[in-house]
Amino acid sequence: MTCLNKLLMNFFLNCSSRPMLLIVLLSLLFAGCATPAGNTSGEGVKDRPLVAVFPVQNLTGRLSPVREIREGLIARLEGRGVQILDDRALEEVMARHRIRYTAGLDSDTARNLRMETGAGAVLLTSLEYYHDDIPPRISVVARLVSTEDRPEILWADEVGLAGDDAPGLLDLGLIDDPRELMDKALSVLARSLLRYLSEGRQSFNAGPADLRFEPRAAYRALSLEPGKKYTVAIVPFFNRMEYPKNAADIIASLFLKELVRSGPFTVIELGQIREAFLELRIIMQEGMSFADIDALVSMIDTDFILGGEAMEYKEGGTPKVAFSLLLIDRKSKQLVWSSYSVNSGMDGVFFFDFRRIKNAHLLASRMVQGTVDMMVKGVPQGPASMDVLWQGSIQ
């Protein structure tokens, strides 16, 4: 029973005065009974950095409401007391230093923003998929990066929704309006970021681990010491498909988020990787060579280098995703992890579409989660495999 119920019950049992009732109700209205735990509306506001919100990167390959997405995120953050860098100040810095790349943050851009505007962090957002027909679909990935001399990823999360994810009884839960679905997705992301800014802890939108989405095949020779932090550099993934052209970038961004979530890994900001590739003039044809690894680690201090390939990314109808992953140890230059994953949204579904996944982003997110969990926790060992090779199957 809430404190309001208790007070009203006591009042009606012990008092019959109408003026007294009005006084009690007004006092409850203005004073309240208690502040709910975990409130993110005002706590820690003074400790929050000034945030520069970069233009949203459009990975959809089509005209999409990226401006509305940026404005929606800003409105939700400002409404909770987060200080957002003025658009005019941001545009002046971007024009002065000819900043065109908004999908990452390099050292020079971070320094210029910090010195010229006082911004302590940058919010980088990517719209991965937007479909405004019925049922609508949307997928958004975002991360908060510090403006230190070596930019650090402070927070990362993603959300993928479809209008028919939870139709419910008589389809009452269907969402036909793409704007309504977009508002729902932005609210999910904003709540996650606000919780980090208020409490200093990550709160991811990932669901529970699902054995259906573990890799089909995996090799592991990775040894991680408990409690130790390792740095990992994510190099560009290869795209083996004609469409969608940005599938490799989508898979790479999901691995960034999951590695941040995993605990043992500190992910180097993607803008720094791009900066190093440009300065070293590295052009990857089929993978990283030993010469490329030596050159890269000479500029970026990292323990591991992670790369992969996007082989299939089918959206709509029954989604299907396939990708491979490689993890290379910087010191030994040895392959310490490799895996291959392929799934469809109908895997493990046997009746009434129960557990069916209806959008490729959510499917890919679960597959990436399964891969990173297995990478960190270890491959199941059999009497013959001894942590060398594991063949998985859909359950």
Side-chain angles (χ1 to χ4, degrees):
M1 181 181 296
T2 65
C3 57
L4 177 60
N5 291 337
K6 291 179 180 178
L7 286 174
L8 288 178
M9 180 174 290
N10 291 333
F11 172 79
F12 283 116
L13 289 175
N14 299 296
C15 180
S16 59
S17 170
R18 291 185 179 180
M20 182 65 69
L21 172 62
L22 180 61
I23 294 173
V24 170
L25 291 178
L26 287 176
S27 64
L28 288 174
L29 176 64
F30 288 103
C33 293
T35 301
N39 181 17
T40 59
S41 61
E43 297 177 4
V45 172
K46 63 181 180 181
D47 299 324
R48 296 173 180 173
L50 176 65
V51 177
V53 181
F54 269 21
V56 176
Q57 181 191 28
N58 188 357
L59 295 176
T60 66
R62 52 182 288 189
L63 188 64
S64 300
V66 290
R67 183 184 295 273
E68 290 86 343
I69 289 173
R70 179 177 181 270
E71 292 173 351
L73 283 172
I74 290 175
R76 285 165 172 79
L77 296 176
E78 285 186 326
R80 295 295 187 176
V82 179
Q83 291 184 303
I84 302 296
L85 180 65
D86 180 74
D87 280 353
R88 178 175 296 181
L90 177 60
E91 290 169 1
E92 288 176 355
V93 173
M94 297 184 74
R96 186 180 307 120
H97 298 283
R98 300 181 180 179
I99 301 172
R100 299 291 180 267
Y101 179 68
T102 61
L105 189 66
D106 58 62
S107 299
D108 289 340
T109 302
R111 187 180 307 109
N112 291 331
L113 281 169
R114 185 182 71 249
M115 298 298 293
E116 298 178 24
T117 68
V122 176
L123 182 62
L124 304 169
T125 310
S126 297
L127 176 64
E128 297 186 343
Y129 189 78
Y130 183 79
H131 179 78
D132 54 7
D133 291 338
I134 298 175
R137 290 182 172 88
I138 187 172
S139 304
V140 186
V141 175
R143 67 185 185 275
L144 187 71
V145 183
S146 71
T147 56
E148 300 171 356
D149 290 338
R150 180 174 176 173
E152 177 185 353
I153 299 174
L154 304 173
W155 165 91
D157 212 340
E158 48 84 19
V159 59
L161 299 176
D164 58 348
D165 277 339
L169 183 65
L170 301 177
D171 289 343
L172 295 177
L174 284 176
I175 299 177
D176 295 335
D177 185 355
R179 298 290 171 168
E180 180 183 349
L181 190 68
M182 182 177 72
D183 288 343
K184 182 178 179 181
L186 296 182
S187 295
V188 170
L189 271 183
R191 282 197 300 269
S192 175
L193 177 54
L194 286 165
R195 188 171 292 110
Y196 167 76
L197 291 172
S198 296
E199 303 174 10
R201 63 181 180 90
Q202 299 278 0
S203 177
F204 299 98
N205 296 314
D210 195 328
L211 295 178
R212 292 180 294 164
F213 305 118
E214 290 182 341
R216 293 292 185 91
Y219 163 84
R220 185 177 190 270
L222 180 64
S223 178
L224 300 175
E225 297 181 18
K228 183 177 179 180
K229 279 283 189 177
Y230 299 88
T231 55
V232 57
I234 301 177
V235 299
F237 278 42
F238 288 102
N239 197 358
R240 297 300 185 187
M241 302 162 289
E242 292 185 4
Y243 182 84
K245 297 183 181 295
N246 294 313
D249 294 331
I250 294 172
I251 298 295
S253 66
L254 291 176
F255 269 105
L256 183 150
K257 176 251 181 179
E258 282 300 322
L259 288 168
V260 170
R261 179 190 67 87
S262 67
F265 293 107
T266 297
V267 183
I268 296 176
E269 164 55 28
L270 298 183
Q272 290 184 274
I273 307 298
R274 179 178 182 270
E275 182 182 28
F277 268 64
L278 291 174
E279 186 169 338
L280 297 169
R281 298 181 181 179
I282 296 177
I283 300 177
M284 295 171 56
Q285 299 296 335
E286 294 293 331
M288 292 285 289
S289 67
F290 288 154
D292 292 339
I293 294 175
D294 288 336
L296 183 63
V297 299
S298 68
M299 290 190 62
I300 297 176
D301 185 19
T302 184
D303 297 310
F304 298 103
I305 297 172
L306 183 142
E309 295 182 354
M311 302 169 181
E312 191 167 4
Y313 197 92
K314 177 178 176 275
E315 187 67 80
T318 299
K320 188 175 182 180
V321 176
F323 59 81
S324 64
L325 188 71
L326 299 174
L327 185 69
I328 300 172
D329 183 86
R330 169 256 180 105
K331 293 181 180 179
S332 66
K333 298 180 186 176
Q334 296 295 314
L335 181 69
V336 293
W337 171 272
S338 67
S339 61
Y340 169 70
S341 300
V342 57
N343 286 97
S344 81
M346 290 297 294
D347 286 339
V349 177
F350 301 106
F351 87 134
F352 295 122
D353 286 348
F354 178 64
R355 299 202 304 171
R356 178 184 176 185
I357 292 182
K358 300 179 180 180
N359 68 80
H361 174 94
L362 180 57
L363 177 62
S365 178
R366 295 293 179 84
M367 294 166 65
V368 170
Q369 180 185 4
T371 302
V372 173
D373 284 349
M374 183 176 289
M375 182 194 304
V376 172
K377 297 175 183 177
V379 179
Q381 296 187 18
S385 65
M386 294 305 293
D387 205 24
V388 174
L389 183 66
W390 172 78
Q391 297 289 341
S393 61
I394 298 299
Q395 300 183 6

